[in-house]
Amino acid sequence: MTAFKNINDITHDLKTLGFESGLSADELKYLPLRARSHAFTVCICANIAYLTAKLNEIREILSEIRHPVNRKTLKFVKRLSYRDAIKVGLIGCGRLGTQIVKTLTTFSDVRPGEIMISTRRPHELVSLRESGIECIFDNKKVVQNCHLVFLACLPCQVQTVAEEIRDHIPRDCIIYSVVTSVSLPRLKQLFRHNNMVKTDFTWPTQPDDPSWPVGCDVCETLNQVEFAELACPVSDRAKTDAIVWPNQKLSEIALYAALNMCPMLNVTADEAINLMNVAFIGPNRKELDWSKFLEEESSEFIKEGNLPVFDLFHVGTNDTPLTEVLTNNIEIRKAITKRFCLVFDRFRSSDTTT
């Protein structure tokens, strides 16, 4: 990876004013952890933004098909196009939670009114409340009203939260944990919910690359195309150039979660696969079919016109037909990586023109 220079850091070339100048020899040994911690946050936020953006993209495609709007006359009649976005919840809103919210509103086509946050101190989230985000202290209300809920509380609070909400979680609600110290099987046991997702990462044993942009915030880092690509779970560059890379399972979960949403949207099996190709692979490409997601014996289920519902906990903890596809099919990996980067490139393009 080439050296990265943060143009907003006025101390970059002034070593005596740098972060490292005040560290002792013993403390300098732990300096790579700073970059690694930042990389963890970037990867977590990037994959959350990606999943949310893809679910919203699918719903937007369907909305445009079912509720066509003449774009040329839209501004004259002052009518907004039909919107059916997912509702996003967040339980816990400390430093990581705040970064998650900022990433979602920047990259994922999520509006403030579509976000609900539950925290013990909602009155302290002044800027988020002023932007239109509902900030409360009611975990049950969040899971009852949101399609996708991110669990960003402290590890010591997970059991208490689980006991409070596990009898109130809708079956199709996705609980996405960023509490790295609590395993997915333990989360399943605590929440008694099948749609449990967790972020898992790997990192190299050698010292971290000092070129990682630790001086940039998360959105600024993802605004750099090479760092957005390194956060993609199926990027071929991640294992060679990244200091932290996410488990491939996150890409599998995104695809299966999108398929799980299709029955609620009243689409056919053929329509569902077309949506997967458009959103995850690209327009006019037909790389994905049901054989990529289902075992051969399950194909009869699809032929009868039914849509399957997948257990996301099982997807996250076991090999699936898609596991082999993402491992061995280079073209599909490249296509997914490209679409992953486009989530953040869309923001870069609009930001450049403003």
Side-chain angles (χ1 to χ4, degrees):
M1 186 188 300
T2 57
F4 178 88
K5 180 177 180 178
N6 181 4
I7 60 174
N8 297 317
D9 183 5
I10 62 174
T11 68
H12 180 79
D13 295 317
L14 302 173
K15 294 184 179 181
T16 57
L17 297 179
F19 176 83
E20 298 86 349
S21 64
L23 301 179
S24 67
D26 287 338
E27 291 170 332
L28 283 172
K29 294 186 296 185
Y30 300 99
L31 189 60
L33 296 179
R34 182 178 181 230
R36 187 172 295 175
S37 175
H38 185 273
F40 271 122
T41 303
V42 169
C43 283
I44 288 172
C45 291
N47 282 279
I48 282 174
Y50 170 71
L51 171 61
T52 309
K54 291 292 110 177
L55 297 182
N56 264 337
E57 182 181 347
I58 289 170
R59 298 172 82 99
E60 182 182 357
I61 292 170
L62 279 175
S63 294
E64 290 177 351
I65 294 172
R66 294 170 176 175
H67 306 275
V69 174
N70 188 329
R71 300 291 177 181
K72 293 182 180 179
T73 61
L74 189 62
K75 62 181 179 181
F76 297 108
V77 299
K78 297 182 179 180
R79 183 168 67 89
L80 297 177
S81 59
Y82 182 83
R83 183 171 175 84
D84 182 30
I86 65 170
K87 302 299 185 294
V88 179
L90 189 69
I91 296 179
C93 194
R95 291 182 179 179
L96 179 56
T98 302
Q99 291 292 339
I100 289 172
V101 172
K102 184 178 180 181
T103 309
L104 286 170
T105 53
T106 301
F107 298 114
S108 299
D109 190 28
V110 176
R111 299 175 183 176
E114 296 159 357
I115 300 176
M116 184 181 294
I117 297 173
S118 178
T119 175
R120 291 178 299 173
R121 298 181 179 87
H123 57 280
E124 295 182 358
L125 304 179
V126 178
S127 61
L128 296 181
R129 292 168 62 191
E130 289 177 347
S131 72
I133 296 174
E134 184 175 0
C135 301
I136 56 178
F137 183 29
D138 190 339
N139 298 332
K140 288 187 288 188
K141 183 177 180 181
V142 169
V143 296
Q144 289 171 337
N145 289 277
C146 296
H147 304 100
L148 179 58
V149 176
F150 298 106
L151 185 66
C153 60
L154 295 174
C156 62
Q157 298 169 338
V158 170
Q159 183 166 344
T160 301
V161 171
E163 291 172 353
E164 182 180 356
I165 71 172
R166 62 189 173 203
D167 295 328
H168 304 275
I169 307 174
R171 186 175 61 178
D172 55 1
C173 176
I174 300 173
I175 306 294
Y176 190 128
S177 174
V178 298
V179 186
T180 55
S181 59
V182 183
S183 69
L184 188 55
R186 177 60 174 159
L187 289 168
K188 168 73 179 302
Q189 181 185 42
L190 288 171
F191 286 85
R192 302 172 189 169
H193 186 62
N194 289 337
N195 280 342
M196 296 294 307
V197 178
K198 180 181 178 294
T199 52
D200 284 317
F201 300 95
T202 307
W203 52 89
T205 54
Q206 66 268 26
D208 294 335
D209 190 331
S211 63
W212 185 266
V214 292
C216 299
D217 69 14
V218 171
C219 290
E220 186 179 354
T221 303
L222 290 172
N223 201 21
Q224 307 296 320
V225 62
E226 67 172 301
F227 296 110
E229 182 179 351
L230 294 180
C232 178
V234 293
S235 168
D236 290 329
R237 287 188 55 230
K239 294 183 181 180
T240 57
D241 293 351
I243 61 175
V244 167
W245 58 87
N247 192 311
Q248 176 182 290
K249 281 292 176 183
L250 288 180
S251 287
E252 291 183 46
I253 287 167
L255 283 151
Y256 280 108
L259 282 174
N260 276 356
M261 189 173 64
C262 290
M264 295 183 291
L265 300 175
N266 297 317
V267 300
T268 66
D270 288 340
E271 288 173 333
I273 284 298
N274 287 335
L275 287 169
M276 295 302 105
N277 279 294
V278 172
F280 291 94
I281 303 298
N284 305 317
R285 296 188 63 175
K286 303 294 182 182
E287 303 285 349
L288 299 176
D289 54 51
W290 281 110
S291 67
K292 304 292 194 303
F293 299 96
L294 292 171
E295 301 288 352
E296 186 175 350
E297 58 267 23
S298 302
S299 59
E300 293 299 321
F301 185 80
I302 299 299
K303 291 179 182 178
E304 294 174 1
N306 299 307
L307 281 172
V309 176
F310 299 95
D311 183 328
L312 294 186
F313 171 77
H314 178 83
V315 172
T317 54
N318 297 273
D319 285 346
T320 67
L322 191 57
T323 303
E324 183 177 355
V325 172
L326 294 183
T327 301
N328 300 319
N329 193 313
I330 296 175
E331 292 304 313
I332 287 182
R333 285 208 312 272
K334 287 181 177 179
I336 290 175
T337 301
K338 182 177 180 180
R339 299 293 293 181
F340 183 97
C341 294
L342 282 175
V343 169
F344 309 100
D345 185 63
R346 180 173 56 178
F347 169 78
R348 268 194 304 277
S349 301
S350 62
D351 189 56
T352 303
T353 58
T354 56

